[in-house]
Amino acid sequence: MASHRRPKQPSRTRRVTVLTATAAAAVALTTQAAQAEPKASEKEVKEKVDKLYEDAEGATEKYNGAKEKQRKLEKEVANLQDSVARGQDDLNDMRNGLGSMATAQYRTGGVDPSVQLFLSSDPDSYLDKASTLDQMSSKQAEALKKIQTKQRNLAQQRQEAADKLKDLDDTRKELGEKKRDIQKKLSKARSLLNTLTADDRARLAAQQARADRASASRVDLGSDASASQRAAAALSAAKSKIGSPYVWGATGPSSFDCSGLTSWAYQQAGVSLPRTSQAQAGAGTQVGRSQLAPGDLVIFYGDQHHVGFYAGNGQILHAPKPGAGVRYESINNMPFQFGVRIG
């Protein structure tokens, strides 16, 4: 007869030994994988970070455009709502006037006109009253026509206001998406920088500081005699902000993004520019590189997401990127598209 014995279970000591060995093997594999992935060099990290900053700036200009659209829509909606409120008050007054007119007509014209004439002891007086009633009916018809026209206009304005409110709601959602996109890119850039050693980060910071100091002391810009009075005034205003930090969405006076600096500086010269680099690209007369004069705007990249001032002698003055202050740089550092001369 076969024996039905339960299989012998491994001892607790043996189970612990197996688990320990498995964990050690997993650690070894993880270490090997980490060693297999070479750490990015300082140069590679910097290139990736610069690309993220460039992408973030493109997203910033889109955010600025949506922000400007929001501001205009808010103003348009407020004006439409005020107009509708005033129109409703006018309509109520017109209706009250029509009601008073109808009441007066009822009081004087409640009996058939032929009977009133037959019973009247003063036919001439009655005929005068009948003429007044006829005039009143004509005025009543005209008042009704005005009321109908006013009602149609109010309905159109209400629909327009409703459409603008929907556009405003969509724009606010778009703003939120673009803001998250910018923050995501900047956060990724910070994470990449944090993969560097403290010495590497200090070296990059020192390079950035040297670039800012060199910009502040630069004097070889050539003559600005070819600049118009307004362009020279705008460039002078921008020069007063050398060293001010780049902050996305900022328009001064203590921090700027690229189009924020150019729009602020031209505002000091009495000229109102559009908010975004793409809109500023169409704000004046396009000029080629050889035609640039100090104070002209310079548009960079195919999607026109960066703008600065031409400062002379192949240099631009601009708000470059996060972590850098307003400074001079060579016009060759970015892909030039065209210049814009503001009239």
Side-chain angles (χ1 to χ4, degrees):
M1 183 174 177
S3 174
H4 297 284
R5 294 180 180 177
R6 293 178 60 189
K8 185 177 181 181
Q9 298 297 318
S11 68
R12 182 177 182 278
T13 301
R14 183 181 178 190
R15 288 199 303 271
V16 170
T17 302
V18 171
L19 288 173
T20 302
T22 303
V27 170
L29 287 172
T30 302
T31 303
Q32 290 173 2
Q35 292 174 346
E37 295 179 5
K39 184 180 177 181
S41 68
E42 178 184 329
K43 180 181 177 182
E44 290 170 335
V45 169
K46 185 177 183 303
E47 288 174 351
K48 290 178 181 179
V49 168
D50 286 344
K51 182 61 170 67
L52 283 167
Y53 283 159
E54 180 188 327
D55 292 344
E57 186 178 42
T60 295
E61 289 304 294
K62 292 177 182 178
Y63 172 89
N64 291 339
K67 189 75 173 175
E68 183 70 4
K69 181 181 178 182
Q70 179 191 33
R71 185 188 66 79
K72 290 180 179 178
L73 282 171
E74 286 174 343
K75 185 175 180 180
E76 289 171 2
V77 167
N79 289 339
L80 278 169
Q81 289 175 334
D82 287 345
S83 180
V84 167
R86 289 193 301 271
Q88 187 62 56
D89 289 341
D90 292 343
L91 181 60
N92 292 340
D93 291 341
M94 292 167 69
R95 283 172 171 164
N96 291 337
L98 182 61
S100 300
M101 198 182 299
T103 300
Q105 187 179 30
Y106 175 78
R107 286 174 179 169
T108 56
V111 182
D112 185 86
S114 59
V115 175
Q116 288 186 12
L117 180 58
F118 179 76
L119 297 175
S120 177
S121 59
D122 187 355
D124 290 336
S125 176
Y126 171 76
L127 290 173
D128 288 340
K129 291 179 181 179
S131 176
T132 300
L133 281 173
D134 184 61
Q135 291 175 7
M136 187 175 291
S137 296
S138 177
K139 288 180 181 178
Q140 191 176 35
E142 185 180 352
L144 279 170
K145 186 176 180 180
K146 287 181 178 178
I147 287 174
Q148 290 171 342
T149 301
K150 192 70 176 179
Q151 286 174 325
R152 284 195 298 271
N153 290 340
L154 277 175
Q156 290 174 353
Q157 287 181 325
R158 285 193 177 100
Q159 184 58 53
E160 188 177 355
D163 293 341
K164 295 284 185 186
L165 281 169
K166 184 179 183 305
D167 286 346
L168 182 56
D169 184 57
D170 292 342
T171 301
R172 284 172 174 158
K173 291 177 182 176
E174 182 185 0
L175 270 175
E177 292 171 359
K178 294 190 184 308
K179 183 175 181 180
R180 287 189 291 273
D181 185 29
I182 295 166
Q183 291 173 331
K184 181 179 178 181
K185 293 179 189 303
L186 295 180
S187 177
K188 189 172 181 180
R190 285 191 294 269
S191 296
L192 275 171
L193 288 172
N194 286 336
T195 64
L196 298 175
T197 66
D199 288 343
D200 288 340
R201 291 197 297 273
R203 187 163 41 252
L204 286 177
Q207 290 174 2
Q208 190 68 64
R210 283 196 299 271
D212 288 345
R213 285 196 301 271
S215 172
S217 62
R218 188 186 303 276
V219 292
D220 186 17
L221 296 173
S223 172
D224 62 355
S226 59
S228 70
Q229 185 175 357
R230 286 181 172 176
L235 180 57
S236 178
K239 288 178 180 178
S240 73
K241 295 300 177 180
I242 288 176
S244 297
Y246 179 103
V247 175
W248 68 270
T251 57
S254 57
S255 59
F256 304 88
D257 60 21
C258 69
S259 58
L261 175 66
T262 50
S263 59
W264 176 87
Y266 260 103
Q267 187 178 32
Q268 310 316 301
V271 179
S272 178
L273 288 186
R275 176 62 183 91
T276 68
S277 58
Q278 290 90 347
Q280 289 178 14
T285 304
Q286 281 194 23
V287 295
R289 183 163 174 165
S290 62
Q291 300 169 298
L292 287 171
D296 287 344
L297 301 180
V298 187
I299 307 298
F300 295 96
Y301 298 99
D303 62 356
Q304 303 173 2
H305 74 252
H306 191 77
V307 61
F309 282 102
Y310 185 67
N313 199 28
Q315 300 295 314
I316 61 164
L317 179 62
H318 67 149
K321 60 184 178 180
V326 173
R327 69 189 188 194
Y328 296 106
E329 283 192 67
S330 169
I331 196 172
N332 299 318
N333 286 356
M334 292 172 288
F336 171 85
Q337 300 302 303
F338 52 84
V340 178
R341 184 156 298 155
I342 304 301

